[in-house]
Amino acid sequence: MESQSAKPIIAALLQPLPVLTQPQARNDLGDEAVVRLLVHQFVELSLEAFNEALHGRLDQDEAVDGINRQAIALNAVFLGTSGFDTVIAHPWNSPDQLGAFLKDVVALDYPEDDCVRAMLIQLATQVMHALRLPEEDRHEEVEALTLDAADLLLGRAPEDDGEFDIDIGG
C-alpha cells in the first residue's frame, strides 16, 4: 500500500512524548498537545517537500506523493486504524465521528474514511499558498492554519466565522 513508506516517519512522530506530558508513555489523540504536535510535524514535512521541489532537489510529483503518503498515514492514525500501540484512540477517532464531522465542517466531498487525509491535503495546499505571503505574515498564517487543523481533529469547529480557513480554491 502507498502509505507503507510513510509509516516509519509517522511511527517516529508517535514515539511516546516525555513522561511529563504523557505519564502512560502513549500518545492520546484526545490530548491537544499530541494532536498539535502531529499536525505541526505534518506541516513541517510539507514545507520541507515544497522547499525541496522549489530548489529542484525533488520532482514536484514526488513532493506531492510524499505529502499524500504522510496524509494517508495520519488518516489511519486519527481514524484509529493505524495499529500503532503507542496511540490511544477514542470513539471520536472513527470515520462515522471524526470523518463525518470533517466532511460537514470542511465541506469535503470524500468518504468519511478518507476525510482526515483530504483535510490534511487541503492544509498542505493552504500552507503552500501561505508561502507567497510577505515573510512577516507567513509564519503567523502557517501557525493559524496549523491550529485550525488541530482544532478540527479534536472536534472543535473554528471560532471565527464557523468556516474552516482551508480552501483549495486558487
Side-chain angles (χ1 to χ4, degrees), residues 37-49:
L37 176 66
L38 290 171
V39 173
H40 177 76
Q41 290 299 324
F42 174 78
V43 168
E44 289 297 317
L45 290 167
S46 297
L47 286 169
E48 182 179 321

Side-chain angles (χ1 to χ4, degrees), residues 57-73:
R57 294 186 292 263
L58 188 63
D59 178 80
Q60 185 174 353
D61 289 339
E62 291 173 326
V64 170
D65 288 346
I67 291 167
N68 192 51
R69 282 191 300 274
Q70 299 304 322
I72 289 169

Side-chain angles (χ1 to χ4, degrees), residues 82-131:
S82 69
F84 291 121
D85 60 358
T86 59
V87 175
I88 299 170
H90 300 276
W92 167 252
N93 299 108
S94 67
D96 63 331
Q97 293 287 318
L98 176 56
F101 173 78
L102 291 173
K103 185 172 185 153
D104 181 50
V105 173
V106 187
L108 296 169
D109 192 22
Y110 291 88
E112 284 85 0
D113 64 354
D114 194 33
C115 281
V116 172
R117 183 203 62 82
M119 187 271 298
L120 290 171
I121 294 301
Q122 288 185 3
L123 171 62
T125 301
Q126 282 302 102
V127 166
M128 183 182 68
H129 289 299
L131 295 178

Side-chain angles (χ1 to χ4, degrees), residues 3 9-10 68 91 94 97 106 141 146 153:
S3 65
I9 294 172
I10 299 301
N68 192 51
S94 67
Q97 293 287 318
V106 187
E141 180 67 14
T146 301
L153 291 168

Side-chain angles (χ1 to χ4, degrees), residues 21-42:
T21 58
Q22 292 289 311
Q24 299 85 18
R26 295 181 69 199
N27 296 301
D28 188 335
L29 295 178
D31 183 333
E32 188 168 346
V34 170
V35 173
R36 283 186 177 184
L37 176 66
L38 290 171
V39 173
H40 177 76
Q41 290 299 324
F42 174 78

